Amino acid sequence: MASTVLEATRAAHEDLERLERLAVRELQRDPANARDRLFQSHRVRHMIDLVVSTSEKLVEIYDDKDSARKDEISTHLTAPVQDDIFNKFYDRLKEIRNYHRRNQSARFVSETDDYEELLKEEPAIEFTGEEAFGRYLDLHELYNEFINSKFGSRMEYSAYVGTFAQTEKITHSLKATRQYKEYLEHVLEYLTSFLYRTEPLQDLEKIFTKLESEFEEQWANGEVPGWENKGTEKETASQESAIDLDYYSTVEELVELGPEKLKEALAARGLKSGGTVQQRAERLFLLKHKALELLDRKHFAKGSRSSVSNAPNGNNFKDDLKKEIALLEIKMRRLCEILDEVIVRTKENAEKKLTLTYEEMEAEREEEEVQADSESDDEDQQIYNPLKLPMGWDGKPIPYWLYKLHGLGQEFKCEICGNHSYWGRRAYERHFKEWRHQHGMRCLGIPNTKNFNEITSIDEAKALWDRIQSKQGLNKWRPDLEEEYEDQDGNIYNKKTYTDLQRQGLI
């Protein structure tokens, strides 16, 4: 703990230099695996946050709002008589010695060890089971919200993962609602959280600030993607309601707008604008389920049945809502561009799960857990593996004799699986029943039966399928040759011969 303002300033500068050196040293280290790389990024992010907080303290010290720094400097500089310089020096020295005598723990305090611990600690990062430590997105809650909304449609989860960022497919009338805005906010909140957990060194504030500045210019010029016809919508909006009642589901929500906005909305429609806020909201809420022309005359002001075209403030309200929604869409698309690889992996994983049974999914999940445990154990130790042998259940290379016994050095390529390589005879034989080969056979339009085991070439699979179809054709019932007819004399003919003789009049 510093005893003076100047000492606190010096210590803060020392902390900044130490944190900068530690961050550089951490980034120069090559991580052993993906998990270690993620931990490294979070440790560096924590150091950056400490640098920012320490810099803010230094700014407060240099601002010197309480003049403590100025007073301390003046006590060292102001010395009218030479003897006073030595007196002040020894007084200050005595004060420092008394301070350290009272605080024995502050005598040899060094924060170097504390900062070194930052390089050893393992950050606490929370992921769901579906996210698999940042490999995939978990969009199931957003998917359920989408398919159960007015603007959504029924589709498979894998299809939703590939299209949830394509908001241009939704009409503008469905976008300008409270439900759609809340949905976008939920999507943006999740993507921001996921990006912070998987890429903590990304400066999201800087990205969003740049997007907002560009968005303001594009919105003013009517060039926002998906909202280019903003000017046309303004003209049609002048003929709609001043407040979009689809955006509100209860009278209480309208009350939150306040008396002035309710008064303007009622006046724009030619309705009475007096009464309490509750009465105004109830009067306006009548239009949600009934057309303006069908309302009782008692609700209208005297001699006034104004159209909505006289309500510029209502148009501004609706434009503000659309502007907020358009900005949320822009931010969501930008985050999806950053997470493009993760989205592709998530879609592939969702499609893969459609072809797996429950037992296969459980086995795959157990393999991932074992792999994650082997990565987390003994990460600091460099495993000697010059032959590049596969890793066993304990996270160590398997014995070489076991490697040769199972023939793991043999490579088998399957053209149907997209030239994917399988190492070892066992893995090669098993892959004919796995999802990748099944998907390839389905794309060729061929059933994946036992007849096609050991077939890895697309041409061979097609040729075999043609032969099977031709053989099935020979075994089919052919009525022209196999259906029998008998004449009056008891002679037996097939259908074709009997028909020819009958036409010639011989029978």
Side-chain angles (χ1 to χ4, degrees):
M1 179 178 178
S3 58
T4 64
V5 177
L6 292 179
E7 176 61 21
T9 306
R10 185 206 62 77
H13 280 289
E14 183 183 359
D15 291 343
L16 287 179
E17 294 179 3
R18 187 180 293 116
L19 286 168
E20 289 173 2
R21 287 196 298 268
L22 287 175
V24 172
R25 193 172 80 184
E26 177 70 7
L27 290 174
Q28 289 175 345
R29 182 181 63 84
D30 293 331
N33 46 53
R35 182 186 290 260
D36 190 22
R37 183 179 295 106
L38 183 59
F39 287 155
Q40 182 191 60
S41 300
H42 275 274
R43 282 193 290 267
V44 174
R45 179 68 189 184
H46 182 48
M47 295 176 193
I48 293 174
D49 293 339
L50 289 176
V51 169
V52 172
S53 61
T54 307
S55 301
E56 291 175 352
K57 293 178 182 178
L58 277 175
V59 170
E60 292 180 3
I61 293 174
Y62 284 120
D63 286 344
D64 198 21
K65 294 181 179 179
D66 56 356
S67 301
R69 183 170 177 272
K70 181 179 178 182
D71 295 341
E72 186 172 340
I73 293 175
S74 63
T75 58
H76 292 288
L77 297 180
T78 56
V81 184
Q82 188 172 2
D83 294 338
D84 292 342
I85 296 176
F86 294 101
N87 293 333
K88 289 184 177 181
F89 172 77
Y90 285 111
D91 291 341
R92 184 64 185 148
L93 179 61
K94 183 179 179 181
E95 181 182 346
I96 292 173
R97 285 176 175 173
N98 291 333
Y99 171 78
H100 285 285
R101 191 179 296 112
R102 292 192 304 268
N103 301 277
Q104 295 290 334
S105 61
R107 183 174 295 181
F108 300 106
V109 173
S110 175
E111 296 184 356
T112 304
D113 295 338
D114 295 338
Y115 287 118
E116 289 289 343
E117 290 295 326
L118 294 176
L119 300 179
K120 301 177 183 179
E121 67 179 9
E122 187 175 291
I125 314 169
E126 294 183 358
F127 289 100
T128 64
E130 183 71 19
E131 290 172 338
F133 211 80
R135 284 181 54 82
Y136 312 114
L137 294 171
D138 185 3
L139 301 174
H140 285 87
E141 290 186 6
L142 299 172
Y143 166 71
N144 291 329
E145 185 177 354
F146 177 81
I147 62 176
N148 293 313
S149 62
K150 293 181 179 178
F151 55 84
S153 57
R154 295 285 177 179
M155 62 175 67
E156 292 290 341
Y157 175 71
S158 56
Y160 170 77
V161 173
T163 59
F164 77 96
Q166 301 174 7
T167 56
E168 60 274 4
K169 296 181 179 180
I170 304 174
T171 60
H172 288 189
S173 59
L174 295 175
K175 285 183 178 182
T177 59
R178 178 192 294 270
Q179 190 182 31
Y180 182 70
K181 182 184 176 184
E182 291 177 351
Y183 165 74
L184 286 181
E185 290 174 346
H186 295 161
V187 174
L188 192 63
E189 181 182 358
Y190 173 74
L191 294 180
T192 304
S193 170
F194 183 84
L195 194 62
Y196 176 76
R197 286 177 288 154
T198 54
E199 299 183 30
L201 297 181
Q202 283 276 7
D203 192 353
L204 291 179
E205 292 184 3
K206 183 178 180 181
I207 294 174
F208 286 157
T209 302
K210 183 179 178 182
L211 278 178
E212 289 171 1
S213 60
E214 294 175 353
F215 172 79
E216 291 294 338
E217 183 178 353
Q218 292 177 349
W219 183 263
N221 299 329
E223 299 174 353
V224 178
W227 301 84
E228 293 86 351
N229 56 346
K230 181 170 72 79
T232 309
E233 289 182 356
K234 276 188 175 183
E235 296 175 3
T236 56
S238 62
Q239 300 175 359
E240 297 175 356
S241 59
I243 294 178
D244 189 2
L245 295 177
D246 292 336
Y247 190 71
Y248 303 93
S249 56
T250 61
V251 177
E252 287 71 19
E253 293 177 359
L254 284 174
V255 172
E256 295 176 0
L257 292 176
E260 294 300 324
K261 281 194 174 182
L262 292 174
K263 182 178 180 181
E264 293 170 356
L266 291 169
R269 293 169 170 80
L271 300 174
K272 294 180 180 179
S273 56
T276 62
V277 179
Q278 181 72 20
Q279 292 172 342
R280 295 178 186 179
E282 291 174 354
R283 196 177 303 129
L284 184 61
F285 195 73
L286 293 173
L287 294 175
K288 184 174 178 66
H289 306 291
K290 189 179 293 187
L292 184 66
E293 297 79 9
L294 301 178
L295 286 182
D296 196 335
R297 297 186 62 86
K298 67 179 181 179
H299 296 297
F300 289 92
K302 291 184 178 180
S304 175
R305 279 189 176 245
S306 304
S307 65
V308 185
S309 59
N310 299 324
N313 292 327
N315 298 340
N316 293 336
F317 173 79
K318 196 164 187 177
D319 285 342
D320 291 341
L321 172 63
K322 292 180 179 179
K323 184 177 179 181
E324 293 176 7
I325 292 175
L327 180 58
L328 290 173
E329 290 181 349
I330 294 292
K331 290 182 178 180
M332 183 186 69
R333 291 196 197 103
R334 182 69 184 97
L335 294 184
C336 289
E337 292 174 2
I338 299 175
L339 296 170
D340 182 57
E341 294 182 3
V342 182
I343 294 174
V344 172
R345 281 202 304 267
T346 305
K347 184 179 179 182
E348 292 176 352
N349 183 54
E351 292 174 347
K352 172 185 172 183
K353 285 186 175 181
L354 293 176
T355 62
L356 297 178
T357 63
Y358 176 76
E359 291 76 12
E360 290 173 336
M361 285 191 288
E362 286 296 320
E364 184 177 354
R365 185 174 301 144
E366 290 177 1
E367 290 179 4
E368 291 179 354
E369 291 177 356
V370 171
Q371 183 179 2
D373 293 339
S374 64
E375 287 181 355
S376 60
D377 294 340
D378 301 330
E379 288 181 350
D380 297 334
Q381 300 178 2
Q382 294 294 332
I383 299 175
Y384 182 69
N385 187 15
L387 298 179
K388 310 231 180 259
L389 300 174
M391 296 297 176
W393 62 270
D394 56 353
K396 297 179 180 179
I398 65 174
Y400 185 69
W401 64 267
L402 187 62
Y403 174 80
K404 296 292 288 183
L405 177 65
H406 290 287
L408 298 180
Q410 297 179 346
E411 181 183 9
F412 298 89
K413 282 195 174 182
C414 181
E415 186 181 3
I416 297 175
C417 298
N419 290 324
H420 188 79
S421 297
Y422 298 93
W423 296 91
R425 183 72 189 177
R426 183 183 179 188
Y428 171 70
E429 292 177 351
R430 287 175 58 186
H431 100 276
F432 289 104
K433 297 180 180 180
E434 293 177 350
W435 68 272
R436 184 179 282 109
H437 193 83
Q438 291 177 356
H439 179 70
M441 294 291 285
R442 193 159 49 246
C443 291
L444 295 176
I446 301 174
N448 188 27
T449 61
K450 291 183 179 180
N451 297 325
F452 294 91
N453 278 1
E454 304 293 332
I455 302 294
T456 59
S457 172
I458 294 177
D459 294 335
E460 292 179 3
K462 289 182 176 179
L464 179 58
W465 177 236
D466 292 339
R467 288 200 299 271
I468 291 174
Q469 286 183 315
S470 63
K471 288 182 180 179
Q472 289 176 348
L474 292 175
N475 296 328
K476 288 182 179 179
W477 168 258
R478 292 173 294 176
D480 292 342
L481 300 177
E482 298 178 2
E483 190 175 353
E484 296 180 344
Y485 288 81
E486 182 179 357
D487 61 3
Q488 295 178 353
D489 299 330
N491 299 315
I492 303 298
Y493 306 96
N494 59 37
K495 182 179 179 181
K496 183 178 180 182
T497 304
Y498 182 83
T499 305
D500 292 340
L501 293 175
Q502 192 177 37
R503 288 175 180 172
Q504 295 175 12
L506 300 176
I507 298 180

